[in-house]
Amino acid sequence: MTQQESSPETLWLSGNEALALGAHEATVKVASGYPGTPSTEILENLTGYDNVYTEWAPNEKVGLEVAIGASFAGVRALATMKHVGLNVAADPLFTASYTGVRGGLVIIVADDPTMHSSQNEQDSRNYAWAAKLPMLEPSDPAEAKEYLKQAYEISEEFDTPVLLRSCTRVAHVKGIVASGPITASKVTPGIEKMPAKFVMLPANARQRRLAVAERMEKLALMADHSSLNTIEWGDKKRGIIAAGTSYLYAKEAFPEASFLKLGLVNPLPQSLIKEFASKVKELIVIEDLDPFLETQIKAMGIKCHGKDMIPAIGELTTAVVRTGVSGKAGKTDFAPVELVPRPPNMCAGCPHRGLFYNLNRLKVFVSGDIGCYTLGFLPPLSAMDSCVCMGASIGVAHGMAKALGDEGKGKIVAVLGDSTFIHSGITGLINTVYNKDYSTVIILDNRITAMTGHQPNPASGSTLMGEPANSINFEELCRAIGVKHVRTVNPQNIKETHDALKEEIERDEPSVVITRFPCVLIPEEKKRKKIPLHSNTDNCTGCTACLRIGCPAIHWEPLTAEEVAARGGKKAQKGISRIDEVMCVGCGLCKQLCKFDAIVDGEEKS
């Protein structure tokens, strides 16, 4: 990571890398968040700079609370999260709008239109409106860095937390970014007691509510003259209002049009919008997801097109915008790259495969959660029946148990990963014990937040900054909550796992099964010597037992009747299974299922 104090340098950065640089140049001192695509790399890159404390929090609510505390102490603070994480952080967010700040406080939220890696689409601009907070929306990495620095200036000048909305394309696209000067805060760090401002009892909160209203009026006046909102005059037959990546798509589709580009999307520059609208013949609002701008512009009494032309579902592209406005897709700028089809699947050697294989056999309802293991719902494992949001699996299972009563006994389990259990699953387990149901909770413990790229969590034994840390003992934690029956198994041992699950699921009270084995993709596992298994195809009868675990390292080879006869096989045989020794890591799951010695130990590989 390049660092500089004053010498400008041209860099090639992703949006997330640019945001980390912006935080460095804005002299952020404390940053906290929870990993979630597409926001994860912001904090990971920020650890490369000196003089900033950076951490992963158990969830987004805690991350924002940490940032609020740092702001109260007079330093600039940053909280990062993806769009669904803002729901978790909504409680402190709305009250922080009332308390205001001391040191600048910015919350970066990354939306995910089209749901490339999310359970829902969500337009976080609605949170800015509802919480009465300013929101900035950059369109590329260079703007992301500069907007973040400006967000801290706005935060301290107007005594407010500031939201910065990113999205998948801004977060992950690469662009040219110029480094800039370090802009230090004028706030003096230290403890300053301000109970009327920071203690939100009703009497104080009523006064702060008035301060929030006054602040938003000042911000609206600022918006009309801010360099964040700019008019680009072109052909006045068509005027387009847009922000973020929607501006880039619209600009590429209609370069001849006039544009009002909004960098500050809440509050809106009403006078500027009215001036722009009065000078163009046709006004079109182009924005992804909700009609956030369009609704407010129409409420000003201004006629415009919007969602009657532009879809409200999924990501926009230049072609989508061009087709929506003109009815013609126009030329294709470049053909899409042909990719080799690859069905979603757990990795070869994934420790969760053995668990879901057993859950499928036990024919229970599996209340699932957010993680790599959500792929357990796919055939042939087909062992996940619901998935709502982070940490919801335990509560959903509890609700089902209460609804079904004795009819549901022995039929309901909840599964979630170690990071998700820490994020928001612990409270669900407390509720299960306190309110006395019989469901079994299964913690898939690989000691890492695997889905988002192996970020450490409070069970990992290390921090984001690479320091050794306490590692949560789940067995002791669950017993402390009140779970009487807690057991730990190796999910790579099919029989051991099956017997433990069967016994715990049949209990008439809550139980926890911890399936503990490391993720095959962490560096320690990659370095470990692997002994791939080998196919003894002479013994293969084509029974397909090994295929039922869905390992990508096993494939099926069909045989003709003549080929089967030549092998001495039965007439019913249709083919044989074969192991890809390049992919196989020797976990042994398939060998445990083969009754014909058709899978044998192979040679060691590194």
Side-chain angles (χ1 to χ4, degrees), residues 34 58 351-352 355-356 367-374 384 387 389-394 414-426 441-451 457-459 472 474 477-478 512-517:
Y34 185 81
H352 305 322
L355 168 69
F356 285 110
S367 174
D369 222 296
I370 306 294
C372 313
Y373 48 84
T374 312
M384 187 170 291
C387 177
C389 67
M390 291 283 286
S393 59
I394 302 176
V415 300
L416 76 174
D418 51 298
S419 185
T420 313
F421 179 62
I422 295 165
H423 178 279
S424 48
I426 294 173
V441 174
I442 305 167
I443 303 173
L444 287 61
D445 183 14
N446 56 19
R447 302 269 129 177
I448 205 77
T449 310
M451 177 177 63
N457 64 52
I472 288 180
F474 286 144
L477 174 65
C478 293
V512 171
V513 176
I514 300 168
T515 63
R516 181 169 294 145
F517 203 83

Side-chain angles (χ1 to χ4, degrees), residues 1-4 9 11 13-28 42 45-46 49 141 144-146 148-149 177-182:
M1 182 62 63
T2 303
Q3 296 188 50
Q4 70 295 306
E9 186 177 0
L11 305 166
L13 301 178
S14 70
N16 283 345
E17 291 170 331
L19 287 166
L21 175 60
H24 163 66
E25 292 182 355
T27 63
V28 168
I42 301 170
N45 281 280
L46 193 53
Y49 295 99
K145 191 207 77 164
E146 292 302 322
L148 182 58
K149 295 177 72 174
V177 180
S179 64
I182 303 296

